[in-house]
Amino acid sequence: MVLLFIEKLEEYFGSVRVNAIKLPMRFVGVELPTELTSHYSSILSPSTIVSGLKVYARVHVRRVFNEEGDVVKEVNENIESPVIERDNIYVLDLTKIHLDYSIPIGYFLEVLLISLTVESGTKRYGMLVYPDEFRYSMPPNIPQKVSNLVTGYARVLRELGGMYEVVDLLSTVGLQDVSADLWEGLVRFYGGDYEGSIKFFRKVVEGLRNIVKEADAIEGSRKEHLYEYLSKAYSLISSFGEHAGTRGSLPEARLSRDIALSTSRYLAEYLKLKQGSQKQTPSTTQTP
């Protein structure tokens, strides 16, 4: 499922290999929990880095806490970041987040780690971390206020983590915009913003409808029926909420969520299967 962890943002110095030459580099990030690196030692190991493989982590960066433990910023951004090995310590490179949001060194980040990806040349192999489990890790030196806030919100992130597989599947098959809308809808739903969640679930259904309309991979009458279903679902969800002059409460938001999730999962798995079969199909082109 996911790993929720809190860690201090630190500055690191390392090196990057360019044309067999090591060049110095500076980056800002957070250290990955030891339990994660131990559990996935086949991926997070010096031999992986030395062999030229690249490792990335897909994460959701949620909140920023200052040294006193106060929430000073809500980032709520999904990002795939490099994992860098430094003296047998594995660091998640969050330099972009650090710069984009002007987060000071020494502040604490709340990070939801969803999956790890190994890149070898043009091939990428991904895996969800801790399937069917929700774990969280907090170092002993964090302020008690941070611990209380994170623990109190863990239920929401646990629910989100259980559904993130669908979000990740959408990204895997190239539907990043739909993936981002689904994530935002889920965040708002579990945060109690039902009106806001309905708007994003409606965007998900609209995006899927456009995909079905344009996708050649969906065959026969299935394409017609899916398009018709998504059009009706879009009309239904559009009748919920303030934009339609009505109120979108929990029952409407839950129905909108379930429609968006179920159709997203089906289409992502269907397209992934089709993409896999196309890669395995040998070319019939003959050289004259």
Side-chain angles (χ1 to χ4, degrees):
M1 194 181 288
V2 291
L3 170 68
L4 169 65
F5 70 96
I6 311 298
E7 194 53 75
K8 184 180 290 187
L9 192 68
E10 301 278 10
E11 184 178 30
Y12 296 89
F13 295 91
S15 62
V16 60
R17 187 178 296 275
V18 179
N19 296 328
I21 301 175
K22 281 189 174 182
L23 300 177
M25 66 175 293
R26 169 194 174 274
F27 62 97
V28 176
V30 295
E31 183 179 337
L32 292 178
T34 304
E35 67 172 90
L36 177 79
T37 57
S38 298
H39 191 84
Y40 292 97
S41 58
S42 60
I43 295 176
L44 300 171
S45 67
S47 60
T48 301
I49 308 299
V50 171
S51 63
L53 300 178
K54 297 179 181 179
V55 180
Y56 298 88
R58 186 185 297 278
V59 300
H60 177 76
V61 181
R62 177 164 163 71
R63 294 180 291 186
V64 181
F65 305 90
N66 63 17
E67 294 166 330
E68 287 72 43
D70 299 312
V71 177
V72 295
K73 197 181 296 288
E74 292 203 8
V75 176
N76 282 326
E77 182 168 332
N78 301 324
I79 186 172
E80 185 176 65
S81 296
V83 175
I84 300 174
E85 187 268 338
R86 177 184 172 277
D87 299 329
N88 292 322
I89 294 174
Y90 294 88
V91 179
L92 182 65
D93 184 354
L94 294 177
T95 304
K96 184 178 185 301
I97 294 289
H98 162 66
L99 295 175
D100 288 352
Y101 293 91
S102 302
I103 303 172
I105 302 295
Y107 278 25
F108 295 93
L109 296 187
E110 181 181 38
V111 180
L112 195 65
L113 196 154
I114 298 98
S115 63
L116 294 171
T117 299
V118 178
E119 183 179 286
S120 175
T122 59
K123 297 181 179 180
R124 290 169 62 89
Y125 308 90
M127 66 173 67
L128 295 171
V129 299
Y130 300 118
D132 303 319
E133 292 185 67
F134 176 80
R135 299 190 185 188
Y136 58 92
S137 173
M138 288 180 280
N141 61 334
I142 66 170
Q144 186 61 42
K145 187 184 295 186
V146 174
S147 179
N148 293 341
L149 287 170
V150 172
T151 303
Y153 202 75
R155 182 192 65 81
V156 174
L157 293 176
R158 181 187 181 93
E159 295 285 345
L160 285 172
M163 297 177 178
Y164 197 90
E165 180 183 9
V166 182
V167 178
D168 198 57
L169 276 172
L170 288 168
S171 293
T172 300
V173 297
L175 305 183
Q176 284 84 1
D177 290 343
V178 179
S179 175
D181 288 335
L182 180 58
W183 175 263
E184 186 62 30
L186 290 171
V187 168
R188 289 173 181 265
F189 178 87
Y190 287 104
D193 178 11
Y194 301 127
E195 288 276 3
S197 72
I198 289 172
K199 295 176 184 178
F200 280 94
F201 293 141
R202 184 180 60 164
K203 287 182 66 178
V204 169
V205 173
E206 182 181 23
L208 294 175
R209 183 181 63 175
N210 293 337
I211 295 299
V212 169
K213 182 179 180 180
E214 299 170 4
D216 295 330
I218 302 175
E219 302 166 344
S221 61
R222 181 179 307 188
K223 180 172 184 174
E224 178 185 347
H225 293 317
L226 275 172
Y227 184 81
E228 183 179 351
Y229 167 74
L230 289 166
S231 294
K232 290 182 177 180
Y234 178 78
S235 297
L236 174 63
I237 297 174
S238 295
S239 70
F240 302 149
E242 59 186 4
H243 59 275
T246 62
R247 183 181 178 184
S249 55
L250 176 58
E252 290 78 22
R254 185 185 289 119
L255 176 60
S256 302
R257 179 202 64 182
D258 292 346
I259 292 172
L261 274 171
S262 60
T263 50
S264 291
R265 180 184 291 277
Y266 172 74
L267 278 173
E269 290 178 343
Y270 182 86
L271 292 174
K272 185 178 181 180
L273 183 64
K274 285 293 183 180
Q275 290 172 1
S277 63
Q278 288 172 359
K279 289 179 181 178
Q280 294 174 9
T281 302
S283 174
T284 57
T285 303
Q286 297 182 354
T287 304

